[in-house]
Amino acid sequence: TQLLEQSPQFLSIQEGENLTVYCNSSSVFSSLQWYRQEPGEGPVLLVTVVTGGEVKKLKRLTFQFGDARKDSSLHITAAQPGDTGLYLCAGGPSNAGNNRKLIWGLGTSLAVNP
Amino acid sequence: DTGVSQNPRHKITKRGQNVTFRCDPISEHNRLYWYRQTLGQGPEFLTYFQNEAQLEKSRLLSDRFSAERPKGSFSTLEIQRTEQGDSAMYLCASSPHGSYNSPLHFGNGTRLTVT
């Protein structure tokens, strides 16, 4: 069974600080998606990474896919209160056959205090 | 494109009652997923459809849960004889095809509270 472990589980920081959240597995993924979810809403896709070593930037957010495609990180620079939410990673397993079902991490709950 | 729509947004029911939720996906999406999520946790897969065919159902799902997508458009999720442990957010998502790189478009969920 493929698993995705996210860390930290909870993070509370002050506005302006930098942070990194991690998504790790012992398994290889064909791609990895990052979502952000705000209270009372569904997750919204932030980015998809598909190539080992790939780095993608979305304004103050930087996403990296590990060289071996087993892990990923999300770095936020100068966090703002609007970044508050649950950050979820989801991987497309490389051995799923016909079952095209994402594997989800449990999420990192981020609170950015003004 | 109005996004994925779920109804109702909130449902409070007594233990033992049946409930039904509806999901209207993005119109051109042929894949539809149901997930369950508890507070602060990631989504837990329940089932998914390609068009009207239900391709997979989680083994964690008891026989009290059933989902349909009769015409390959909207879907319903029914929970019979609800239990307090069924209290959760039920999320529906759709995608245009089955590639792992296709993003899931989620609705805002139906929050179920079983008293």
Side-chain angles (χ1 to χ4, degrees), chain B:
Chain B
D1 179 0
T2 58
V4 178
S5 177
Q6 291 189 246
N7 289 288
R9 289 296 310 275
H10 304 275
K11 179 70 177 178
I12 300 174
T13 191
K14 292 184 178 180
R15 187 175 55 187
Q17 298 295 306
N18 299 343
V19 294
T20 300
F21 310 141
R22 177 179 170 123
C23 172
D24 288 271
I26 294 172
S27 58
E28 62 268 25
H29 287 185
N30 61 358
R31 290 238 168 181
L32 186 149
Y33 302 76
W34 284 100
Y35 287 88
R36 179 171 60 192
Q37 186 180 30
T38 53
L39 192 63
Q41 302 293 309
E44 176 188 22
F45 170 80
L46 296 179
T47 189
Y48 80 92
F49 294 83
Q50 180 167 320
N51 300 314
E52 66 275 9
Q54 188 173 17
L55 296 186
E56 187 176 352
K57 183 176 178 180
S58 170
R59 285 173 287 179
L60 299 175
L61 218 57
S62 75
D63 292 341
R64 297 183 297 106
F65 288 73
S66 63
E68 294 182 345
R69 195 183 183 196
K71 298 182 180 179
S73 56
F74 74 92
S75 176
T76 58
L77 176 68
E78 181 183 15
I79 308 174
Q80 297 181 327
R81 304 181 303 281
T82 53
E83 302 173 355
Q84 288 186 324
D86 298 331
S87 295
M89 175 76 86
Y90 289 83
L91 291 165
C92 175
S94 67
S95 70
H97 49 77
S99 166
Y100 300 130
N101 298 332
S102 298
L104 295 183
H105 298 257
F106 283 88
N108 285 330
T110 294
R111 179 164 295 284
L112 173 66
T113 303
V114 182
T115 61

Side-chain angles (χ1 to χ4, degrees), chain A residues 18-96:
Chain A
N18 301 334
L19 68 118
T20 302
V21 299
Y22 300 92
C23 179
N24 296 311
S25 176
S26 58
S27 303
V28 176
F29 289 93
S30 60
S31 68
L32 202 132
Q33 301 175 6
W34 284 93
Y35 291 78
R36 180 171 67 209
Q37 184 177 21
E38 298 186 19
E41 299 183 5
V44 176
L45 180 75
L46 296 173
V47 78
T48 301
V49 286
V50 297
T51 305
E54 182 177 3
V55 176
K56 281 191 174 180
K57 292 190 176 183
L58 185 65
K59 297 183 180 178
R60 293 176 294 100
L61 279 60
T62 302
F63 304 85
Q64 185 166 7
F65 202 12
D67 291 342
R69 304 204 316 269
K70 294 182 178 181
D71 52 81
S72 181
S73 64
L74 158 60
H75 182 80
I76 301 179
T77 303
Q80 298 178 1
D83 296 327
T84 293
L86 180 69
Y87 288 81
L88 295 158
C89 64
S94 59
N95 62 347

